[in-house]
Amino acid sequence: MIFAYLSLIFALFFSAKAEAQFLYRQVTNLATPVTTNARYPFMLGTTATIVTLVDENDSSKKYTRHTSNKKPLRGDGRWGDKYGTYNLAIGYTGAAVLYGIAAWETHHFDNVVLLGEALAHAGLVTWTLKNTVRERRPNGEDRKSFPSAHAAMSTAFASVVHAVHGFGWGMLAYGAATYVCFSRMNDGAHYLHDVIAGATIGMSYGWGVYLNKVGKYHKRNASNHQFQVAPSPDLEGAQLAYQYSF
């Protein structure tokens, strides 16, 4: 499902933009957790992850074992497992496409591309770390515990929704992401530090990719359109000049 979804997003985007421009933006997007203001949640989340990892009392694993034994969500944690990665994004994509067609508003399609890019980068970093660190899950199922892909994907989704649609929708999306993150500990699939690391990756790329796009948009507009006010030659008035570069 992950590869099918990303392939669809990339295929649509390749058909609309030049390949070189697309690849350049992805390179800059990859660095956005440190090149944009997304560095602040990135640094905070990274610090929290390190603190929980080096904790001498091993609070992360103790809390996770306590949660998975008590199972506050009981069997309902399966919903976080089932819908916590790309299904939220797929639902958003369907709604955005339908609404965009109905309202004849193309910016909804741009939001879908933005979400796809954020998920792709968060997914790439998460997959790389999983296959590098190879931490065993609390339930012993495999060695793909760190970081949590469910936390990364759901938080990236929530961050893009917040950035694009504002505080109200963002809080609803973050609520869904919080449920997904907690459900992974409820089911013994991840430790607390796995979830914190995943959420950090997701938020950093959700906001980072958005800020990268907005920054370039404003920069492009500023360079293309220039207004100048200067005194008239006889110094008795003023003249307005407009310049457009392309």
Side-chain angles (χ1 to χ4, degrees), residues 19 27 39 61 81-82 84-86 96 120 128-129 144 151 168 170 178-179 189 201 213 215 229 233 236 242:
E19 181 177 350
V27 171
R39 68 175 66 92
K61 293 185 177 181
D81 179 25
K82 186 175 183 180
T85 51
Y86 289 92
T128 302
L129 288 173
K144 296 182 178 181
T178 300
Y179 176 85
I201 294 169
K213 176 185 177 183
V229 179
E236 293 184 356
Y242 169 74

Side-chain angles (χ1 to χ4, degrees), residues 14-245:
F14 270 121
S15 65
K17 298 289 184 180
E19 181 177 350
Q21 182 182 0
F22 174 81
L23 292 177
Y24 173 76
R25 191 168 77 251
Q26 300 322 308
V27 171
T28 58
N29 279 339
L30 189 60
T32 53
V34 294
T35 58
T36 69
N37 282 342
R39 68 175 66 92
Y40 300 115
F42 175 73
M43 291 188 296
L44 179 62
T46 300
T47 301
T49 301
I50 294 173
V51 168
T52 55
L53 277 171
V54 302
D55 179 16
E56 293 182 357
N57 295 321
D58 209 5
S59 300
S60 174
K61 293 185 177 181
K62 287 181 180 179
Y63 176 76
T64 303
R65 292 192 182 101
H66 174 77
T67 302
S68 61
N69 288 334
K70 292 293 184 179
K71 288 192 180 300
L73 299 179
R74 302 183 184 277
D76 293 333
R78 68 183 186 276
W79 298 112
D81 179 25
K82 186 175 183 180
Y83 296 106
T85 51
Y86 289 92
N87 287 305
L88 289 171
I90 291 172
Y92 175 89
T93 299
V97 170
L98 291 175
Y99 187 82
I101 293 174
W104 291 90
E105 295 178 348
T106 59
H107 69 273
H108 296 288
F109 304 105
D110 294 334
N111 294 341
V112 171
V113 173
L114 178 69
L115 176 60
E117 291 177 338
L119 293 175
H121 289 289
L124 174 63
V125 172
T126 301
W127 180 86
T128 302
L129 288 173
K130 277 181 178 291
N131 288 277
T132 301
V133 178
R134 295 187 57 78
E135 179 186 42
R136 186 173 295 279
R137 295 182 188 271
N139 57 18
E141 182 178 313
D142 56 38
R143 288 187 173 274
K144 296 182 178 181
S145 187
F146 181 89
S148 169
H150 283 74
M153 298 299 101
S154 60
T155 308
F157 165 79
S159 299
V160 171
V161 170
H162 184 191
V164 172
H165 299 288
F167 180 81
W169 287 107
M171 291 305 99
L172 290 176
Y174 283 127
T178 300
Y179 176 85
V180 170
C181 292
F182 188 77
S183 73
R184 303 306 286 155
M185 292 186 292
N186 180 84
D187 294 349
H190 287 289
Y191 293 109
L192 175 61
H193 58 266
D194 302 332
V195 170
I196 295 175
T200 299
I201 294 169
M203 181 172 290
S204 298
Y205 278 110
W207 277 103
V209 171
Y210 170 79
L211 292 172
N212 192 36
K213 176 185 177 183
V214 171
K216 287 184 177 180
Y217 174 80
H218 287 307
K219 183 178 180 180
R220 181 171 65 250
N221 281 356
S223 61
N224 287 350
H225 302 273
Q226 296 183 3
F227 287 92
Q228 294 180 339
V229 179
S232 61
D234 58 7
L235 300 179
E236 293 184 356
Q239 59 185 12
L240 175 65
Y242 169 74
Q243 178 180 352
Y244 175 76
S245 58

